[in-house]
Amino acid sequence: MPPPSDIVKVAIEWPGAFPKLMEIDQKKPLSAIIKEVCEGWSLGNHENFALQNADSTNFYITEKNRNDIKNGSILRLTTSPSQTAAQLHERIQSSSMDAKLEALKDLANSSRDVTFAQEFINLDGISLLTQMVESGTERYQKLQKIMKPCFGDLLSFTLTAFVELMDHGIVSWDTFSVAFIKKIAGYVNKSAMDTAVLQRSLAILESMVLNSQDLYQKVAQEITIGQLIPHLQGTDQDIQTYTIAVINALFLKAPEEKRQEMAHILAQKQLRSIILSNVIRSPKAINDEMAHQLYVLQVLTFNLLEDRMMTKMDPQDQAQRDIIFELRRIAFDVECEPNNSGSIEKRKSMYTRDYKKLGFINHVNPAVDFTQIPPGMLALDNMLYFARHHQDSYIRIVLENSSREDKHECPFGRSSIELTKMLCEILKVGELPSENCHDFHPMFFTHDRSFEEFFCICIQLLNKTWKEMRATSEDFNKVMQVVREQIMRALTQKPNSLDQLKSRLQNLSYTEILKIRQSERMNQEDFQSRPILELREKIQPEIMELIKQQRLNRLCDGTCFRKISSRRRQDKFWYCRLSPNHKVLHYGDLEESPQGEVPHDSLQDKLPVADIKSVVTGKDCPHMKEKGALKQNKEVLELAFSILYESDEYLNFIAPDKHEYCVWTDGLNALLGKEMTSEFTKSDMDTLLSMEMKLRLLDLENIQIPEAPPPIPKEPSNYDFVYDCN
């Protein structure tokens, strides 16, 4: 007979004694179990003891997490969290350097446990650590020359403990003094600083900036970009990652009016070229966290274009109109005519003719073309950059098109405006960076004006594609669709430089795009006849049932979800899976991302499917209603869903990617008897239907299927030919 589910068999250790094997009854209060263990070793004052996991975590067993104990676990009897916290609080104030160092090391290790952290914080432990950083370490700075390693370790463990304690979100970041910030900033500003201290200091500064607008102001006064740049020139990728994270945080929290100023400073300090040579082109492979920080920097840099993208041109502004005159002058090499040369009507006629050649929609007043937002003034900026920095290509495109027939000319002005708008959509200009993405493009770090250069390459591609398609003005939208496809396909190959992008685009000619489209269509034939449509309708429920079973099977396999926090480098994971009988969801926290499936018995929390009331997505999710710098962006919203159950209870998810999001929302809706409506279901339905149709129609290949069924023949005059079985 199997043992009761509430009984867990464990081994319990106590220093100096043999481990004790015992059965824990999960129905009993934890204090009663601890009392029983203490009595077994003749220990009094059982309230001063606690149980903790005897693994690398050393986490305390509490009423909240006791269900995580598995059969065969090894536990340790130890002093209670409150007593341990009090002892460490006293030990870290020791006058002995060695004792202090050992205590801080223990504190840094223990602070990862939220139970201990709460007790230590209750003793005003955070204030003690900040005081030690502000003034307590001053006494030892004189001894740095003789005791430098010891001093570095002392400070490193102090800051590690501080970071771990703050990561639990128990204490607000707004409570710290300017003296503390100055001290942390001082460690970052020093040229020769212990690596561990520098790493923790950078992490603290990033968290301060991201979690408090008030602290952002104070940190921004203490840290300059010039002081951060040297940390990127080393070889330690962790330090480089933390440094870029601090720069990104300062960028993200800066008021709009200060962002352009900060970008100017970054340009002066040659941040881009330093990152290119020391990070992107470094022999070391770029890890996911570094890729994420580079992606964030890329997004924030492109977001500087948003202001120009959303600024309409003022047709009355002479300075803005002068830019259009400059485009005309460069294209046609027109000398500045004196004011009295020719009549006003003659000059207007000449301008109108030239503006038509330049491809503007409004030939009389091209300024009107730039009143559409987006792309607003950004399109005019791109055109002027192209005309000045790639003058030969600009003149060739304009003159080439002005010499064609009216219907075949590629309108440079209109094309530039639509292309700029398209590039802003592709690069998501104006959107906040995603918390999960690390999709950075190395080529954008190879040039100070990478967006403008990107535009210059693409406008030449557009002109080339226009010619290859032999397009007319009616085909404008078709050409833009092909150009978008060419750009998207080239970007997915992640070119390392702008020259590499050019060569990739060169290989993606219109003819090549047609071939790719044709090959993709080979497996997606369009069956439009009525008999085929009827067959599709008949097969569809079978396919939908197949998709439903696949979704439920995937839920039974389970998925690892990441808990989003302000500090990505210490990712926390949890796992959720459906029981094989489709009646219970099993879930629980994990220490690290699992390799393969996690068994049901290791996931102690349960949620019966019968208790689920509804599934909500996006902005309706409880965890998406919280305010956060990186939580409210579009991409995270698209991956969020929640299960609502009982009165106010809910289980919040953020899917690792769009595929998992679709699988889980479909599967949960299927469990609740609702329709599966995700994009993924639609795509699967199309693919499976197409395959099933082809299989069923295999014998009819090259046979024309009639629109109407063949006529039923007349009844025979007699049935004498029927064989009588009797």
Side-chain angles (χ1 to χ4, degrees):
M1 184 176 174
S5 58
D6 293 321
I7 303 297
V8 184
K9 294 183 177 182
V10 299
I12 299 178
E13 297 177 341
W14 173 250
F18 286 109
K20 180 180 288 186
L21 297 175
M22 70 176 290
E23 293 183 349
I24 290 179
D25 185 350
Q26 293 285 33
K27 290 180 181 176
K28 279 187 181 180
L30 194 58
S31 56
I33 294 168
I34 294 169
K35 183 179 180 181
E36 185 184 334
V37 174
C38 289
E39 286 172 352
W41 274 306
S42 304
L43 299 171
N45 299 325
H46 67 271
E47 61 275 2
N48 294 333
F49 291 92
L51 291 172
Q52 65 180 182
N53 290 302
D55 55 18
S56 57
T57 64
N58 292 328
F59 286 173
Y60 282 98
I61 304 298
T62 63
E63 291 291 355
K64 286 184 180 178
N65 66 21
R66 62 183 295 177
N67 288 327
D68 295 343
I69 304 172
K70 306 176 189 67
N71 275 316
S73 296
I74 300 175
L75 307 181
R76 182 186 297 120
L77 185 66
T78 185
T79 50
S80 67
S82 55
Q83 275 218 323
T84 307
Q87 288 167 6
L88 280 172
H89 192 274
E90 187 178 338
R91 284 171 59 203
I92 62 174
Q93 298 178 72
S94 168
S95 55
S96 162
M97 176 71 85
D98 290 338
K100 194 181 192 79
L101 184 62
E102 200 59 36
L104 284 167
K105 187 175 181 180
D106 291 344
L107 178 64
N109 188 46
S110 300
S111 296
R112 291 179 298 151
D113 184 3
V114 66
T115 312
F116 169 84
Q118 185 68 68
E119 295 292 343
F120 190 77
I121 288 168
N122 289 344
L123 295 171
D124 216 10
I126 295 276
S127 296
L128 177 59
L129 291 178
T130 54
Q131 285 166 20
M132 287 172 64
V133 171
E134 287 173 33
S135 57
T137 54
E138 294 289 347
R139 290 178 293 165
Y140 307 111
Q141 291 203 25
K142 295 174 184 176
L143 303 173
Q144 271 198 68
K145 289 182 182 176
I146 0 180
M147 307 181 69
K148 190 172 180 183
C150 185
F151 174 74
D153 288 346
L154 188 81
L155 193 52
S156 169
F157 289 129
T158 306
L159 295 179
T160 302
F162 175 82
V163 168
E164 294 290 353
L165 290 167
M166 290 303 296
D167 195 37
H168 296 297
I170 299 168
V171 177
S172 167
W173 281 93
D174 286 309
T175 56
F176 298 107
S177 66
V178 175
F180 179 70
I181 297 167
K182 282 179 182 289
K183 187 63 72 174
I184 298 296
Y187 299 142
V188 171
N189 295 339
K190 281 183 184 174
S191 54
M193 179 50 71
D194 182 82
T195 304
V197 172
L198 177 58
Q199 196 180 77
R200 305 300 184 277
S201 300
L202 287 166
I204 291 168
L205 290 179
E206 183 202 3
S207 294
M208 282 180 171
V209 171
L210 287 177
N211 288 289
S212 166
Q213 192 62 37
D214 185 43
L215 286 184
Y216 155 75
Q217 304 283 356
K218 294 172 182 174
V219 172
Q221 289 170 7
E222 298 300 326
I223 287 285
T224 66
I225 300 300
Q227 290 160 336
L228 290 170
I229 294 288
H231 300 312
L232 292 172
Q233 294 170 319
T235 55
D236 189 319
Q237 192 172 113
D238 284 341
I239 296 294
Q240 291 173 328
T241 304
Y242 278 86
T243 303
I244 297 175
V246 172
I247 293 171
N248 286 338
L250 290 168
F251 219 137
L252 192 66
K253 285 291 185 176
E256 285 186 27
E257 65 275 8
K258 283 194 175 181
R259 284 181 192 167
Q260 294 289 350
E261 181 188 329
M262 188 173 171
H264 182 64
I265 294 167
L266 292 175
Q268 281 184 329
K269 299 294 180 185
Q270 298 184 317
L271 176 72
R272 178 200 59 76
S273 57
I274 289 168
I275 288 175
L276 181 67
S277 55
N278 292 281
V279 178
I280 296 173
R281 291 181 178 166
S282 162
K284 289 182 182 176
I286 292 175
N287 59 35
D288 283 351
E289 181 56 30
M290 173 60 88
H292 172 73
Q293 295 302 340
L294 291 173
Y295 153 78
V296 172
L297 182 60
Q298 174 186 293
V299 172
L300 295 176
T301 305
F302 283 143
N303 281 358
L304 294 170
L305 303 169
E306 185 183 12
D307 184 45
R308 293 295 280 173
M309 181 181 81
M310 301 307 289
T311 301
K312 291 182 180 182
M313 186 170 185
D314 180 3
Q316 306 306 316
D317 189 322
Q318 189 58 43
Q320 294 179 357
R321 292 173 66 189
D322 284 346
I323 299 174
I324 297 175
F325 289 139
E326 177 74 355
L327 290 172
R328 174 178 169 266
R329 185 194 66 75
I330 295 171
F332 306 113
D333 198 22
V334 180
E335 295 294 332
C336 294
E337 307 96 345
N339 289 334
N340 57 357
S341 67
S343 64
I344 294 172
E345 288 75 16
K346 186 179 177 182
R347 287 205 306 276
K348 279 186 177 178
S349 171
M350 186 170 60
Y351 289 165
T352 302
R353 183 197 67 207
D354 289 346
Y355 291 148
K356 185 182 178 187
K357 288 180 181 178
L358 279 168
F360 290 111
I361 298 171
N362 192 317
H363 305 150
V364 179
N365 185 7
V368 176
D369 288 12
F370 300 98
T371 54
Q372 174 198 349
I373 54 169
M377 288 296 290
L378 186 59
L380 188 58
D381 295 343
N382 282 340
M383 292 167 73
L384 185 63
Y385 181 89
F386 182 48
R388 284 180 173 169
H389 294 84
H390 299 272
Q391 199 170 107
D392 291 345
S393 299
Y394 167 69
I395 293 169
R396 179 178 56 76
I397 286 177
V398 174
L399 296 184
E400 193 178 80
N401 285 295
S402 61
S403 62
R404 289 184 192 163
E405 295 176 42
D406 279 356
K407 64 176 184 176
H408 281 291
E409 64 185 16
C410 176
F412 174 72
R414 182 185 175 193
S415 299
S416 298
I417 291 166
E418 289 301 319
L419 180 64
T420 302
K421 184 180 177 183
M422 181 199 292
L423 296 183
C424 289
E425 288 170 3
I426 289 171
L427 298 175
K428 299 181 179 177
V429 174
E431 290 187 21
L432 280 172
S434 163
E435 178 71 12
N436 300 315
C437 188
H438 36 75
D439 183 28
F440 83 98
H441 292 277
M443 70 176 186
F444 291 130
F445 290 85
T446 61
H447 200 285
D448 288 327
R449 303 286 293 275
S450 60
F451 183 80
E452 290 88 340
E453 287 292 326
F454 186 37
F455 168 84
C456 294
I457 292 168
C458 294
I459 194 68
Q460 293 175 74
L461 167 74
L462 192 152
N463 189 60
K464 173 174 169 283
T465 303
W466 184 283
K467 286 190 288 184
E468 289 171 352
M469 291 177 70
R470 297 182 181 178
T472 62
S473 53
E474 289 82 14
D475 301 319
F476 186 85
N477 290 333
K478 289 180 184 175
V479 176
M480 294 305 292
Q481 285 171 9
V482 173
V483 170
R484 177 186 278 269
E485 189 172 344
Q486 288 170 314
I487 294 168
M488 293 298 287
R489 287 185 185 277
L491 286 178
T492 54
Q493 297 173 24
K494 290 285 178 74
N496 290 321
S497 65
L498 292 165
D499 286 337
Q500 207 172 84
L501 173 71
K502 281 184 196 173
S503 64
R504 299 269 162 86
L505 290 171
Q506 198 70 32
N507 296 331
L508 284 168
S509 63
Y510 176 57
T511 311
E512 187 61 29
I513 291 292
L514 285 179
K515 284 180 185 174
I516 293 168
R517 286 179 174 180
Q518 183 64 29
S519 66
E520 288 176 352
R521 271 200 300 264
M522 288 286 285
N523 300 320
Q524 298 175 3
E525 290 180 27
D526 219 358
F527 303 110
Q528 295 299 329
S529 64
R530 192 166 59 83
I532 301 295
L533 293 175
E534 286 177 4
L535 181 60
R536 283 174 68 93
E537 284 178 20
K538 187 178 178 182
I539 296 171
Q540 206 157 330
E542 300 172 26
I543 302 295
M544 187 58 80
E545 184 61 29
L546 185 65
I547 294 171
K548 176 183 172 182
Q549 289 307 317
Q550 188 273 341
R551 298 293 189 269
L552 294 175
N553 288 341
R554 278 287 293 105
L555 263 60
C556 290
D557 292 340
T559 301
C560 177
F561 297 94
R562 187 168 58 80
K563 293 183 176 180
I564 286 199
S565 66
S566 60
R567 295 173 62 238
R568 297 181 77 257
R569 281 165 295 284
Q570 293 194 3
D571 285 348
K572 294 181 179 179
F573 301 94
W574 68 290
Y575 201 87
C576 187
R577 64 182 299 181
L578 180 66
S579 62
N581 63 5
H582 300 172
K583 291 187 177 180
V584 180
L585 281 172
H586 297 263
Y587 62 95
D589 292 345
L590 301 174
E591 286 305 311
E592 57 185 5
S593 184
Q595 304 298 317
E597 291 180 22
V598 175
H600 291 95
D601 56 5
S602 64
L603 303 171
Q604 297 299 324
D605 296 309
K606 297 177 185 178
L607 171 59
V609 171
D611 290 352
I612 298 176
K613 289 188 174 180
S614 64
V615 176
V616 293
T617 60
K619 291 181 180 177
D620 297 327
C621 298
H623 57 316
M624 287 295 106
K625 292 175 183 174
E626 302 167 4
K627 292 185 179 179
L630 294 179
K631 284 185 182 176
Q632 294 302 309
N633 61 73
K634 184 180 174 186
E635 198 159 338
V636 171
L637 279 172
E638 288 176 350
L639 297 175
F641 61 98
S642 297
I643 294 173
L644 306 185
Y645 61 97
E646 292 181 4
S647 51
D648 296 319
E649 297 294 321
Y650 46 80
L651 194 59
N652 294 326
F653 298 77
I654 292 181
D657 51 48
K658 194 69 179 174
H659 178 274
E660 288 295 326
Y661 170 84
C662 292
V663 164
W664 274 86
T665 51
D666 281 345
L668 291 169
N669 281 325
L671 281 173
L672 299 178
K674 295 181 180 178
E675 192 178 346
M676 298 185 293
T677 56
S678 77
E679 301 165 15
F680 193 41
T681 293
K682 187 178 181 302
S683 169
D684 280 357
M685 174 62 77
D686 291 343
T687 305
L688 293 170
L689 255 181
S690 175
M691 288 173 63
E692 185 65 21
M693 293 289 289
K694 285 180 181 179
L695 286 169
R696 295 203 183 193
L697 298 173
L698 204 57
D699 293 337
L700 296 176
E701 197 170 350
N702 297 324
I703 296 174
Q704 189 173 357
I705 299 169
E707 280 295 320
I712 300 171
K714 291 180 181 179
E715 287 191 22
S717 56
N718 62 67
Y719 291 90
D720 294 346
F721 56 87
V722 176
Y723 179 74
D724 188 357
C725 295
N726 300 322

